[in-house]
Amino acid sequence: MNRQHRGIGGRFSPLLPLSDRRGSSYYDLIIKTFVIITLLATVLSFLSIFTTYLNLNHICRRVVRVVELDGQVSDTVYDVFYKLKEQTGLSPEMIIEDVAYCDEQNQRIQLRDTFTVDMEYNHVFTIFRPSFAPPVQIIIPMKVRIAGMSEKYWKVPD
């Protein structure tokens, strides 16, 4: 009936003849696969930031717990700190503050006295590593602050 008004292939005919469009779905599939792989690699690289923060938080919690149980800032605390640094591969800075020592010489903390452990770490996140230039990096500062309370009673001579 109206065949002459519809064109060669009908109402929804492609602009190019059918023989020239062969293989275009393969190119489309390759491009989509490349985009999905790139997005997955980006998401997985961002997970390293969260893993680093969780490791920093774990180190700080363990150090606080050791100080709580020992009731003092001793070599045991620093041994645990250095061992955890070695296990996780992080190198944070540790500061113990907001503390009132009952024995200043041995750094003893009396029962139910509070203290705070701060840990700071700068995580270097590499965005792109070109072969002809230095890598493009972002430095992400991380800070964990956890308070604790001594669980040991010290008999202090008057």
Side-chain angles (χ1 to χ4, degrees):
M1 273 208 264
N2 291 333
R3 199 157 181 71
Q4 60 231 6
H5 295 292
R6 288 193 209 160
I8 297 172
R11 184 176 194 178
F12 299 108
S13 65
L15 297 175
L16 298 174
L18 209 52
S19 62
D20 291 344
R21 291 179 49 93
R22 240 181 308 177
S24 67
S25 63
Y26 291 116
Y27 294 124
D28 188 40
L29 181 65
I30 289 171
I31 290 172
K32 286 180 182 178
T33 304
F34 179 71
V35 168
I36 289 173
I37 289 173
T38 305
L39 287 174
L40 283 175
T42 304
V43 168
L44 289 177
S45 65
F46 276 117
L47 289 178
S48 70
I49 298 169
F50 299 113
T51 304
T52 302
Y53 183 76
L54 288 175
N55 283 335
L56 186 65
N57 196 1
H58 172 71
I59 293 172
C60 193
R61 284 186 190 276
R62 290 283 304 269
V63 167
V64 166
R65 190 63 187 143
V66 170
V67 174
E68 286 176 341
L69 293 176
D70 284 353
Q72 64 182 342
V73 181
S74 63
D75 290 338
T76 308
V77 173
Y78 289 103
D79 288 343
V80 169
F81 176 61
Y82 292 127
K83 185 186 286 185
L84 289 170
K85 278 175 57 171
E86 187 178 302
Q87 287 176 355
T88 59
L90 302 179
S91 56
E93 295 179 17
M94 178 176 71
I95 302 169
I96 300 174
E97 56 187 18
D98 299 334
V99 60
Y101 297 112
C102 65
D103 181 6
E104 203 58 50
Q105 181 180 359
N106 295 321
Q107 292 186 330
R108 293 179 176 169
I109 306 169
Q110 192 55 273
L111 178 70
R112 298 187 61 135
D113 281 348
T114 59
F115 60 93
T116 304
V117 176
D118 286 344
M119 291 204 183
E120 294 181 3
Y121 180 71
N122 291 327
H123 179 69
V124 179
F125 180 71
T126 304
I127 296 175
F128 183 63
R129 200 173 294 203
S131 60
F132 56 87
V136 178
Q137 298 175 333
I138 296 176
I139 297 176
I140 302 170
M142 297 181 181
K143 185 173 183 177
V144 176
R145 182 181 181 107
I146 299 178
M149 182 182 295
S150 176
E151 297 180 5
K152 186 161 186 175
Y153 175 75
W154 296 100
K155 187 174 181 181
V156 181
D158 291 331

